[in-house]
Each structure stands twice: as C-alpha cells, then as structure tokens.
Amino acid sequence: MNQAVIKTTGLTKVYGKKERRKCAVDAVSMTVQRGDIYGFIGANGAGKTTFLRMLMGLARPTAGKIELFGEGGAASLTKNRARIGCIIETPALILSMTARDCLTAHKLLIGRREADIDGLLAKVGLSDTGPKKVKDFSLGMKQRLAIAQALMCGPEVLILDEPTNGMDPAGIVEVRNFLKGLASSGITILMSSHILSELEQLATRFGIIADGKLIEEFSAGELERKRVRNITVRVYPYERACALIAVMAGVGGYKLLGEGRILLEDEADFKAVNKLFVKNDIDVEVIEKEAGGLEKYFIEVTNHE
Amino acid sequence: MLNILKSEFFKLRKNKTTWICLAVLVGYTLFDASIALLASRFMSLEDFGGFDLSSMDGFIPAPVASGALTLFGSDTFIAAAILVSIVAGRFYAGENNSGVLRNSLMAGQSRTVVYSAKFIMTLAVSAVAYLIPVLVCMAMYGISGGFGDVAPGVFFGYMALQLLLFLSIGALVFLLSIATRSVGGSLGITIGACFFFIILSSLATAGLELSAVKFVDGAPVFGEPHLFFKALMEICRLLSPSQISFVSSMDLSPPRVVQAVLVGAVTLGAAYGGGSAIFNLRDHK
C-alpha cells in the first residue's frame, strides 16, 4: 500500500520584504510515496534547495504545511526528521577531523550506539583513509563520507541534494548502483541532480520545479510516453526530397539540416514520408532515431513555462 | 540533549584550536601571575612603602598577597574572554558557516534543545577558561609562599562571584556569535568591547578624581565629583564585564555581592533568552 512519507501542501518561502520580496518556493504541493526514488529537477535558483531545507527544518516556511510519515505539527516533524538521512548542498562534515572521527561525532550526536562505523566506511569505500583529514579529501570522497553519515541513522528516507556533484564518472556509477541497492532495500530517496541523464536512470518519479513553482510531477512510465522522438533521414537527391516534403500534407514539424539530411520532429510521420520518398524514387540512405530524454523534456517544459 | 553535549565535547576535544587556546591561556597566566607577584613584591617595598619584608613570613607577605590578586585580575580575564570567543564562536558561527550545524538541527532535537546544549558548552568552556588562571595563580602562590592574609572564605567567595560574572561574559560572547554568524565578527566585537570597558572605566575613574579637585588659591581642595562622572562610574559598576574588576577589589560587602549576583544572573538570562529567540526564528545554513 502506498504511504506518503513526505507531503507538502502549498509550501511557500518568501525572502525579503516589500520591493526586495522574492518568492523562492511558491505554493509547492508535493508527495513522495514510500519506496519512490523521486528525482527533483530544477535549474540553479529554481527553489530545490530551499524546498529541501524547509523539509528538514533548516528554513522556516512562510506558508504551507509539511507532513513527514503522515504526521504534521512541530513536535512530530522534529521527531520524524531523525528518521531521514540528508545531504543538503555541501557535505556537512568537520573538515579538521578524520573520516572515522567525523562519523564518531555524528554517532554521538544521534545517540546510535549500535552504528557500525567500520561497516559504513567500507560501504562507501573509505575504509583506508586512516589519519587523512576530511579537508584533504576530494569532493567525491567528501560526498561519499556524507552519504555514510546520512546512512548512520538507519534512515527510512534519504534526501540527497546533488549527491554526485564533483564525482568522477566511475564514482557516479558507483553511487548510482549504491543508491539503487538502497532503494531496493526499501529506502525512499528524494534526490535533486543537475545530471538529468543520471537521474533518469535512477528515479521512479520526477518533479520539475521552475521559479519556485512545481510545474509537473510524473512517473518514469509517464516520462517514457512523454519522450520527444526525432528521426533524421539522409536522402538522395536532397533537393527533390525537400520539395516533396514541403508539399506533403499531414507532416508535423520537420527541419532541413542540409548535407542531404532532414529531421522529422515526430517519429509517427516517418512511415508516410518514407512511402512518399520510395514512391518518388528518392533513396533513403540513413535513418537515425533519437529519443529525447528527461533533459529534453525538462528544457521543453521549463521553456514553455 | 545529552547526545548533543557528548558530540560537542568530542568535537571540542578533537579540535586543535581548543588545545592551542588552552596552552596560550596557561602560558599567559603564568606570565601574568609572575609579573603580578614580582610587581607586588618590589612595588610594595619601594612605592607602597613601607612593608618591612624581613619581619614577615613567606615569599609573598600577607599584605602583598591581596595586592597581587587584585593586580592579576582583569587583563588575564580579558585574554580568557577572547579565547572563549574563539572557541565558543565555533559552536554556532563556525558550524553554521561550514554547514555542520545542520547535523544537529536534523538529529531529531528541537531548536531550543540544540541551542541550550551549545549554550551549556559555552558556559563550560568559559568556566574552564576562568578556572585555569585561578588554578595556575593558586599553584604559583602556593609554591612561592602562601596566600598571605587572604582568608580562604573571602578568596573563594570572590572567585565564585567572578566565575558567575565570567559565565555571563561567555554567554554574551555566544550571543554575539549567533547575532553576527561570524567567528571573526564576534571575536572583533569581544576585543572591541574589552577595550571599550577598559577605556570607560579609566575615564570614569579619572573623571571622578579630577572633577573632585578644585584649586583654591593654587592649593587643591577635594570636593564632590561631577555628577556625569558619578553616573558614568555607576554605569561601569553595573555593566557585567566591569563587575569583574570591581569584584577584584575584594569588596564582599552584602550590597556588592547582591549587585554582582544580580548583574551576573540578569546578563546570563538575557543572553540566553536573546540567543534562543534569534536561534529559533532564524533560517540556518
């Protein structure tokens, strides 16, 4: 049965007063169900981090309501935040400490005696950092340590703001697989990322935020249906093909790319266009199919808005 | 609350700055106490006339000891306040700027509990910063000949009052770090405030004495000091940091004790309340 682990209703954050007033988050109503890997997408300054900071009690909402694990109210929210592991913006680490000391300080803070620091360090591949200080870690290592810290409370939900930021490709793949593993063990994940192709491979639901407004929420299945599909064909003779397509009825968008190439913006048109070309002795030499992913859809939606 | 305190203590213990501050404070106290001892001994011989040391017991003869304690007082505690500012500044401003504060705020504790734990840690650091000079001073005086005629009851009574006042200064320093969100900012203001109080007290003292002197036929006649300087001196007496030097004068009369306790307690309460309000209402990084 679905259970909303995170639910916001009309969540709003306004900074400044009068003419300096800026609405960072504008009446966002969002639901994250248990088991979701929720991809939170938005450009820089769209309001993602402010939204996550309000969820975690770092910023006070100007208006709206937050429910965590089905409970609202200040005391419940405070209590339930302990069930969430979180990385917001930069990793919250004590730079002058070693990885082990960092995790020990966090263990004392959350009062989780049974937390296995060695196990967590091994899980994120930082077992051999020894006396090296966190300040000397690469950004990727810091991110991994922050993930270990976030996992220490045995979270039911993980909130990750740009978790693969600064990581090398191998690190990104590692984190992706790691998060997939966490999700399959039942942890709900709400993550934002600029690397939309990355998010696309991981998330089961998406939310797009622009100028503080949640424009759209959709599932991975819905994204599949929303994909923009283009087909590029290389034809000969090009000029005759161009003339034919210009007078052909019922073709949606197309672009003449030159060098014998024509781009059909809707793959559904391909069959009819191909038939027309064959009938008129035009050779179709190459067919390239391009499925526009989340990135393309995001740009389309946010530009449209 | 206990979890946060444990974690804060662990972080404090693991931080190099804490140990550097501690070493600096011990070193400075040793230096300051030595100067105070020597000054008391030689000044009493030559300038304050008149102690016949040969007839007195111990390296620090009885009348000299109280003078040494008074001399030792204020500047060491200014150094201690500055070091408290450095260490306590990290509890809020340092952690807020590095984002580490988030860990405490998201650990399932209310903001008031997080704030209170950090406030308690500041008071603990302040107490240590106060006790180090006192203990070093006691050890030095003990080794070099005793405490003279200073009765233990008076000594500890005056130390307890100073401790309360010093805690209130620690609380003010913590409030500053919350208000400015900057370790450097709160440190700068603390140093500035220390100098301000020194200048204010000196002005008040000098003004009181100078305005009380009138020259009649070229000869000085002592009268009533000017009302402005009397008021200024009263303000100095009431300001929490100034209380320390007033308490240093070993005046433990009931009105002085009540005043010092009231000023200390009110400052502590106000700093706690003010800091708590800012901490609770503000967005954190």
Side-chain angles (χ1 to χ4, degrees):
Chain A
M1 195 181 87
N2 277 350
Q3 186 206 345
V5 288
I6 296 172
K7 188 177 178 191
T8 66
T9 313
L11 198 62
T12 303
K13 179 70 183 179
V14 177
Y15 289 110
K17 283 176 186 166
K18 292 180 182 170
E19 65 273 5
R20 287 191 169 184
R21 189 182 148 91
K22 185 186 180 313
C23 190
V25 175
D26 192 357
V28 170
S29 298
M30 174 205 266
T31 307
V32 180
Q33 304 285 354
R34 190 174 285 279
D36 275 353
I37 304 181
Y38 193 105
F40 196 33
I41 310 160
N44 284 335
K48 301 186 299 286
T49 302
T50 306
F51 177 82
L52 297 179
R53 291 178 69 238
M54 282 193 286
L55 276 187
M56 292 312 291
L58 301 174
R60 294 195 169 275
T62 309
K65 207 175 134 192
I66 300 170
E67 281 177 41
L68 298 175
F69 303 100
E71 293 178 318
S76 301
L77 289 176
T78 300
K79 182 190 75 188
N80 285 330
R81 281 185 185 118
R83 298 161 69 182
I84 300 176
C86 185
I87 305 173
I88 293 181
E89 290 177 301
T90 51
L93 304 167
I94 304 160
L95 301 180
S96 58
M97 285 187 178
T98 62
R100 172 174 294 280
D101 284 345
C102 242
L103 293 185
T104 306
H106 196 68
K107 180 179 169 173
L108 290 168
L109 177 69
I110 61 174
R112 213 175 164 89
R113 286 184 187 181
E114 71 279 13
D116 173 17
I117 290 175
D118 288 325
L120 281 168
L121 285 173
K123 211 169 192 177
V124 294
L126 293 174
S127 297
D128 55 354
T129 50
K132 193 174 181 180
K133 296 274 172 19
V134 175
K135 64 182 171 201
D136 298 323
F137 282 16
S138 68
L139 191 53
M141 287 166 83
K142 285 180 190 164
Q143 288 282 12
R144 279 188 279 160
L145 182 58
I147 290 176
Q149 195 171 273
L151 287 174
M152 189 181 272
C153 63
E156 292 166 58
V157 176
L158 259 184
I159 294 180
L160 306 169
D161 190 14
E162 307 285 348
T164 53
N165 207 5
M167 286 190 175
D168 55 31
I172 291 174
V173 173
E174 205 176 300
V175 168
R176 187 206 306 152
N177 292 334
F178 184 61
L179 293 179
K180 270 184 180 168
L182 289 176
S184 64
S185 69
I187 296 181
T188 306
I189 298 171
L190 165 59
M191 66 183 282
S192 74
S193 177
H194 285 307
I195 308 169
L196 299 189
S197 56
E198 207 38 58
L199 215 52
E200 196 175 356
Q201 292 186 57
L202 206 61
T204 55
R205 276 184 67 73
F206 301 91
I208 295 179
I209 187 169
D211 296 327
K213 293 189 178 96
L214 186 69
I215 299 172
E216 203 175 343
E217 276 186 299
F218 50 90
S219 67
E222 284 167 319
L223 175 69
E224 194 55 34
R225 288 193 289 279
K226 286 170 190 285
R227 279 180 197 279
V228 180
R229 289 181 169 82
N230 296 327
I231 288 186
T232 306
V233 290
R234 203 163 78 199
V235 291
Y236 183 82
Y238 181 57
E239 289 73 19
R240 204 145 60 83
C242 293
L244 271 173
I245 202 167
V247 294
M248 185 181 174
V251 176
Y254 69 91
K255 278 178 191 156
L256 305 175
L257 303 176
E259 296 174 351
R261 294 183 311 131
I262 299 172
L263 182 139
L264 302 172
E265 288 175 348
D266 188 348
E267 69 172 346
D269 291 335
F270 175 69
K271 237 179 185 174
V273 171
N274 190 38
K275 250 184 196 170
L276 178 75
F277 286 163
V278 170
K279 200 173 162 187
N280 289 281
D281 283 336
I282 292 171
D283 297 336
V284 178
E285 295 172 338
V286 177
I287 304 165
E288 288 165 356
K289 192 171 174 179
E290 185 199 338
L294 180 60
E295 205 166 272
K296 213 158 197 175
Y297 184 68
F298 168 72
I299 289 166
E300 194 182 275
V301 170
T302 48
N303 280 348
H304 188 256
E305 285 294 316
Chain B
M1 166 81 93
L2 201 60
N3 291 339
I4 302 177
L5 287 174
K6 278 183 195 167
S7 175
E8 292 294 341
F9 183 70
F10 179 81
K11 286 187 275 185
L12 196 64
R13 198 161 56 82
K14 287 281 175 182
N15 197 321
K16 223 184 262 174
T17 312
T18 310
W19 299 106
I20 292 171
C21 285
L22 219 57
V24 167
L25 191 56
V26 170
Y28 185 76
T29 306
L30 282 171
F31 171 77
D32 198 34
S34 308
I35 296 288
L37 269 176
L38 290 173
S40 295
R41 182 174 168 82
F42 294 114
M43 277 162 63
S44 62
L45 275 174
E46 292 165 10
D47 302 325
F48 294 102
F51 297 131
D52 180 8
L53 289 173
S54 58
S55 65
M56 297 180 185
D57 292 332
F59 180 75
I60 322 167
V64 181
S66 57
L69 278 173
T70 312
L71 266 177
F72 169 67
S74 52
D75 53 346
T76 304
F77 293 118
I78 289 175
I82 290 168
L83 296 180
V84 167
S85 175
I86 294 170
V87 178
R90 304 175 73 94
F91 289 139
Y92 176 76
E95 288 207 350
N96 184 53
N97 293 337
S98 66
V100 175
L101 183 68
R102 276 181 238 143
N103 295 335
S104 306
L105 291 170
M106 299 185 304
Q109 304 281 358
S110 71
R111 284 188 175 201
T112 305
V113 170
V114 173
Y115 170 78
S116 301
K118 287 180 179 291
F119 187 81
I120 290 169
M121 283 305 291
T122 304
L123 296 191
V125 167
S126 305
V128 170
Y130 172 81
L131 287 173
I132 283 174
V134 171
L135 292 175
V136 170
C137 171
M138 283 173 74
M140 280 190 72
Y141 287 10
I143 292 165
S144 60
F147 294 88
D149 63 349
V150 181
V154 174
F155 181 78
F156 287 113
Y158 134 77
M159 288 297 169
L161 269 187
Q162 281 207 337
L163 176 62
L164 172 69
L165 291 163
F166 198 76
L167 292 184
S168 73
I169 293 174
L172 283 175
V173 165
F174 186 55
L175 174 66
L176 274 176
S177 95
I178 289 187
T180 60
R181 298 193 210 205
S182 150
V183 180
S186 61
L187 180 63
I189 295 174
T190 304
I191 293 171
C194 287
F195 281 113
F196 173 75
F197 287 121
I198 291 169
I199 291 167
L200 197 69
S201 300
S202 305
L203 273 179
T205 311
L208 266 183
E209 287 177 8
L210 289 175
S211 66
V213 180
K214 304 237 166 8
F215 289 90
V216 179
D217 298 329
V221 177
F222 291 93
E224 267 296 295
H226 195 281
L227 196 63
F228 172 75
F229 292 108
K230 279 168 97 176
L232 196 62
M233 184 53 94
E234 218 34 59
I235 290 169
C236 284
R237 280 185 208 280
L238 287 170
L239 289 171
S240 177
S242 302
Q243 288 284 325
I244 282 195
S245 54
F246 285 111
V247 171
S248 295
S249 62
M250 289 283 192
D251 176 5
L252 284 182
S253 60
R256 169 64 70 223
V257 172
V258 170
Q259 181 186 313
V261 169
L262 268 178
V263 169
V266 167
T267 310
L268 258 175
Y272 175 80
S276 178
I278 298 172
F279 191 86
N280 271 293
L281 294 173
R282 177 183 274 172
D283 287 349
H284 299 283
K285 229 177 163 186

